[in-house]
Amino acid sequence: DAKTTQPPSMDCAEGRAANLPCNHSTISGNEYVYWYRQIHSQGPQYIIHGLKNNETNEMASLIITEDRKSSTLILPHATLRDTAVYYCIVRGNDMRFGAGTRLTVKP
Amino acid sequence: ETGVTQSPTHLIKTRGQQVTLRCSSQSGHNTVSWYQQALGQGPQFIFQYYREEENGRGNFPPRFSGLQFPNYSSELNVNALELDDSALYLCASSFGPASYNEQFFGPGTRLTVL
């Protein structure tokens, strides 16, 4: 079973920041937090990952709480093309996907 | 740099048959993982291959088997197909099996079992 809990769906206005939350209260010390997204049954696309520190790349920012029990993926300026299912994964020896959050970006 | 490729794109089989799906890993990657994604669900981990050896397996029966070749490409074999095996099969490659190595996914193979 997945070790993460995400809201099933969220909406965001185009051009605004999208903040996607994830709870992972049972995360172990050596497990990473990964985020992927999947657009309409294509292969999942890697977004970002982190262990303890906040991370930023050209796609998004990842904020991990100090106790590591939750995290937030931030898409700074959402576009219509960001509409997708977003998966938060706690990765140890393998990657276990949950149901994800369906993000809909609206004009 | 070539990404992860999978073949075929789509496949239709009947119950009881056997199927082989193929995956070419991204250049420089020595680890391949396979996932099954049923309609409306997240991908489920099947197994991982690292340097031609199985390096972890999810909760799938032995009729799901795999192989990795010296060039790190991989095959997923499913015997005695069942209707519930209908799904999108995804492979992902990475520089190594460690959890800090991000996995990059291919486009998937859509298998339909009739």
Side-chain angles (χ1 to χ4, degrees):
Chain A
D1 291 340
K3 297 179 69 171
T4 60
T5 303
Q6 299 178 253
S9 64
M10 292 182 63
D11 291 341
C12 178
E14 188 178 19
R16 303 297 294 269
N19 297 281
L20 290 88
C22 180
N23 287 321
H24 32 79
S25 59
T26 61
I27 191 170
S28 299
N30 62 348
E31 291 178 323
Y32 282 73
V33 178
Y34 274 78
W35 284 84
Y36 282 81
R37 71 182 182 184
Q38 189 172 28
I39 299 172
H40 196 54
S41 291
Q42 298 175 17
Q45 178 189 21
Y46 167 78
I47 301 174
I48 198 166
H49 73 287
L51 184 62
K52 298 179 185 178
N53 300 322
N54 298 337
E55 301 288 345
T56 296
N57 63 21
E58 65 279 2
M59 288 184 67
S61 294
L62 172 60
I63 309 297
I64 302 174
T65 58
E66 192 168 342
D67 63 7
R68 303 212 320 128
K69 293 185 177 181
S70 66
S71 61
T72 302
L73 178 74
I74 301 172
L75 307 179
H77 306 286
T79 71
L80 299 180
R81 287 178 296 179
D82 292 322
T83 293
V85 177
Y86 286 76
Y87 294 102
C88 169
I89 301 152
V90 167
R91 182 180 173 192
N93 293 327
D94 56 44
M95 292 215 299
R96 301 194 178 212
F97 289 74
T101 295
R102 181 171 298 279
L103 175 69
T104 302
V105 180
K106 298 184 174 181
Chain B
E1 182 178 283
T2 306
V4 179
T5 60
Q6 293 186 243
S7 62
T9 306
H10 295 85
L11 200 54
I12 299 175
K13 291 285 189 177
T14 56
R15 194 170 50 184
Q17 284 189 311
Q18 178 265 342
V19 69
T20 296
L21 310 181
R22 295 177 176 83
C23 172
S24 291
S25 59
Q26 188 167 313
S27 177
H29 288 184
N30 58 19
T31 303
V32 172
S33 302
W34 285 92
Y35 297 82
Q36 179 196 66
Q37 185 173 24
L39 204 59
Q41 299 181 19
Q44 300 300 306
F45 174 68
I46 303 175
F47 44 57
Q48 181 184 81
Y49 277 83
Y50 169 56
R51 293 185 175 178
E52 303 180 57
E53 298 285 333
E54 187 176 293
N55 185 50
R57 188 179 183 93
N59 189 27
F60 280 81
R63 60 189 185 85
F64 286 79
S65 63
L67 202 58
Q68 188 178 32
F69 300 98
N71 66 355
Y72 303 129
S73 65
S74 177
E75 287 183 354
L76 165 65
N77 299 290
V78 187
N79 294 322
L81 283 167
E82 301 176 359
L83 297 180
D84 285 349
D85 295 333
S86 294
L88 180 67
Y89 288 85
L90 297 158
C91 80
S93 72
S94 57
F95 278 115
S99 56
Y100 52 76
N101 289 317
E102 55 267 41
Q103 295 185 2
F104 295 94
F105 283 81
T109 293
R110 172 74 61 189
L111 173 65
T112 302
V113 182
L114 302 176

